[in-house]
Amino acid sequence: MKVGFVSIFGKPNAGKSTLLNALMGEKLAIVSPKVQTTRHRIKGILTGDDHQIIFSDTPGIIEPRYKLHEKMMQAVKSSLEDADLALLILDIKDDWEENDRMFSGLKLQSPAVVVLNKSDEVNAEKRKEAEAFFADKTYCKKVVIISALKRTHIKELLGAVLGLLPEGQPFFEGEDLTDLPVKFFVGEMIREKIFHLYGDEIPYQATVLVQEFKEKTTLTKIRADIIVQRESQKGIILGEGGKMIRQVGTDARKDIEAFLDRKVFLELFVKVRPKWRDNETFLKEYGYGG
């Protein structure tokens, strides 16, 4: 039985969350075109007859500017510490030297596979050059070229992962896909809609706190707060006559219903908490622990 922890590292927008979803065959991590969408370490448990792989999607590696960023980088650090194998992912069109410096700076204790993502967007010659560039790096055991979005060569990547993992006993029993509670994913689905529906500033200054999650006979009742930093942001979240928050609710409810496979009654409220991203108490309350 091949068993181990496999952590995914890379710059913001390299495709880490899309890769986790492709490897799992399920949507566990929210995705948006904006950088720093992922704030938590999200584990996906892939169990088969002869393997159990615990994948970790981590926040993109950044220089922290707020306590929130520090918490995000702590999630990266804890993933580094317990990884049996690292997947070092980059957009193949990105600066290879810069990514190499970042990967070297991780000072990995575990072997690594370099994952060249978005390979469908370049020609065969560029793919060959990128592979040659990373193949001889000291941290690199193997290079795999994929498109996480189109799910091409994901089987080859899984094969490479299994080839490098140790044998052992499973860490998790049963068929659970993650160790995180359902409430976490509900909050993330709402937050994903904020990333999709609002301009650049709002998503980064907003978070979601699920206050109520009650499973009734015919439906699940969910009440959640969208937290922002300023009154002006509250107005933007609500929109004229509440139009925007209704859109968030409608879009999120569809995803949550598909995720839970049952009807959902979703209520959203907007709360202003000045400078919450730099407030230890608020960060803990909103699930950014540590």
Side-chain angles (χ1 to χ4, degrees), residues 154-222:
I154 296 298
K155 274 188 181 166
E156 288 86 334
L157 178 56
L158 274 171
V161 166
L162 289 168
L164 290 164
L165 280 183
E167 292 187 353
Q169 292 300 310
F171 289 94
F172 297 93
E173 297 297 323
E175 297 176 5
D176 284 350
L177 293 176
T178 183
D179 63 343
L180 290 164
V182 171
K183 262 173 77 168
F184 169 81
F185 292 100
V186 167
E188 286 289 273
M189 285 175 206
I190 298 165
R191 197 166 65 82
E192 181 180 48
K193 301 312 167 197
I194 296 167
F195 266 83
H196 281 285
L197 290 170
Y198 296 92
D200 284 343
E201 182 190 318
I202 295 292
Y204 297 108
Q205 302 202 16
T207 194
V208 175
L209 181 63
V210 177
Q211 296 281 21
E212 184 182 9
F213 185 93
K214 279 190 183 159
E215 294 192 328
K216 298 180 178 285
T217 318
T218 53
L219 54 72
T220 298
K221 187 177 181 235
I222 298 166

Side-chain angles (χ1 to χ4, degrees), residues 2 35 73 107 126 135 150 160 167 179 238 252 260 275:
K2 290 293 191 102
V35 298
M73 292 309 97
K107 296 185 169 50
K126 186 86 168 169
K150 297 193 173 175
E167 292 187 353
D179 63 343
L238 290 169
L260 299 177
K275 297 187 178 175

Side-chain angles (χ1 to χ4, degrees), residues 20-132:
L20 175 71
N21 294 339
L23 288 162
M24 292 299 300
E26 296 277 348
K27 184 172 177 180
L28 288 184
I30 65 171
V31 176
S32 93
K34 295 185 173 77
V35 298
Q36 292 174 39
T37 304
T38 301
R39 290 180 182 164
H40 297 268
R41 177 184 182 179
I42 297 169
K43 289 200 197 93
I45 304 160
L46 188 67
T47 305
D49 292 338
D50 60 354
H51 63 267
Q52 185 177 84
I53 311 168
I54 301 100
F55 290 107
S56 283
D57 177 22
T58 62
I61 297 166
I62 54 167
E63 283 296 321
R65 288 172 54 209
Y66 309 99
K67 278 201 169 75
L68 171 63
H69 287 167
E70 289 169 17
K71 302 289 183 192
M72 288 159 64
M73 292 309 97
Q74 280 171 19
V76 172
K77 188 170 179 284
S78 66
S79 296
L80 275 170
E81 287 167 357
D82 64 22
D84 295 298
L85 176 69
L87 299 183
L88 306 176
I89 185 172
L90 69 146
D91 180 336
I92 198 168
K93 305 184 304 302
D94 197 14
D95 185 325
W96 302 341
E97 298 273 1
E98 195 182 322
N99 279 275
D100 173 44
R101 284 194 296 275
M102 185 185 68
F103 295 152
S104 299
L106 290 172
K107 296 185 169 50
L108 290 165
Q109 301 300 306
S110 56
V113 175
V114 173
V115 182
L116 299 171
N117 191 26
K118 310 186 187 183
S119 63
D120 53 314
E121 297 173 14
V122 298
N123 59 31
E125 191 181 341
K126 186 86 168 169
R127 291 196 287 270
K128 217 171 180 179
E129 282 175 31
E131 186 172 13

